[in-house]
Amino acid sequence: MPLNKAILKEQLAQLSKKELAEMVLKLAGKRYNYEFLLVNFLDTEGGEQTLFEEAVEDIDALRLKEFKGSTELKRLVKKLNACVKRINEFTVETKSKKLEADLVLYVLELQFRQTAKVFGARVSGYDYKVGLLLKRLITLVTKKLHPDYLADYQVKINDMLARLHKTSNRINTIKELPEQLD
């Protein structure tokens, strides 16, 4: 049944201010509704930045969480998957590609703080997942953002690319990544 905005508008006009406030509070209890209200109505200037800071806090909490897995690398893959899921949730309501790139870079920097032993394993899939996330960052920086932003990310991306190519070049996804950004 298609949504008839005229009927809905008429029904909402009949509600008191208190009833409308209760309705909005109840709707805001759902994450996506809260994010929509924050970005589009409550804080149009700083709403996306607030959601970014909340996403960073959630990722930090995920970093401390213990995931199940038979090896450390399998646990790291699950942790990375949870972080990517949180990034995807962040991008639902925020249209800022700069903030998305910053969040992806934040997660990648956390991965590259690991010891060098985590990269280069033959079976875990960790290198592949990190490579996919790095590919996403490269696409954001080179295709979705203004070219002036490239300088902000270039050194960090090139360092990550060098490390991945050095340890994990047997994986096709990583082979296909550029040697460096120019």
Side-chain angles (χ1 to χ4, degrees), residues 11-24:
Q11 290 172 338
L12 289 174
Q14 294 174 3
L15 296 174
S16 70
K17 188 173 181 177
K18 182 180 178 184
E19 292 171 324
L20 285 172
E22 287 177 22
M23 184 186 306
V24 170

Side-chain angles (χ1 to χ4, degrees), residues 9-177:
K9 198 174 191 179
E10 185 179 310
Q11 290 172 338
L12 289 174
Q14 294 174 3
L15 296 174
S16 70
K17 188 173 181 177
K18 182 180 178 184
E19 292 171 324
L20 285 172
E22 287 177 22
M23 184 186 306
V24 170
L25 282 174
K26 187 161 185 137
L27 285 171
K30 305 283 185 194
R31 173 185 215 113
Y32 292 117
N33 293 340
Y34 162 72
E35 291 175 354
F36 176 79
L37 288 170
L38 182 68
V39 171
N40 294 304
F41 297 105
L42 302 175
D43 189 4
T44 54
E45 295 294 318
E48 289 183 339
Q49 184 64 36
T50 302
L51 293 178
F52 174 79
E53 291 164 6
E54 288 176 5
V56 168
E57 288 174 11
D58 291 346
I59 288 169
D60 286 339
L62 287 171
R63 203 173 90 215
L64 300 174
K65 184 178 176 184
E66 288 295 322
F67 287 84
K68 293 182 179 182
S70 58
T71 66
E72 179 63 26
L73 287 175
K74 288 182 181 178
R75 289 188 288 273
L76 286 173
V77 168
K78 288 182 180 183
K79 193 175 289 194
L80 183 57
N81 285 339
C83 291
V84 169
K85 182 179 177 186
R86 183 60 183 99
I87 292 170
N88 293 340
E89 290 171 358
F90 169 76
T91 60
V92 169
E93 285 302 329
T94 50
K95 305 302 178 219
S96 171
K97 297 298 178 188
K98 169 77 168 97
L99 289 176
E100 180 182 351
D102 288 343
L103 195 56
V104 170
L105 179 64
Y106 180 74
V107 171
L108 280 169
E109 286 176 332
L110 292 174
Q111 305 316 305
F112 282 95
R113 286 185 197 155
Q114 305 284 341
T115 62
K117 293 186 278 184
V118 298
F119 293 105
R122 298 254 177 232
V123 292
S124 73
Y126 182 69
D127 298 19
Y128 171 72
K129 292 289 187 179
V130 171
L132 285 178
L133 198 55
L134 184 55
K135 183 178 180 180
R136 179 176 178 175
L137 178 62
I138 291 169
T139 302
L140 281 168
V141 170
T142 58
K143 293 185 170 80
K144 308 278 183 182
L145 292 177
H146 191 275
D148 292 345
Y149 285 115
L150 179 61
D152 296 343
Y153 297 94
Q154 191 171 11
V155 172
K156 292 177 182 178
I157 290 174
N158 286 340
D159 289 343
M160 292 175 193
L161 283 169
R163 187 166 172 191
L164 271 183
H165 282 298
K166 181 180 173 187
T167 59
S168 310
N169 214 24
R170 72 190 185 296
I171 301 169
N172 288 337
T173 303
I174 293 172
K175 279 184 196 175
E176 293 168 2
L177 290 174

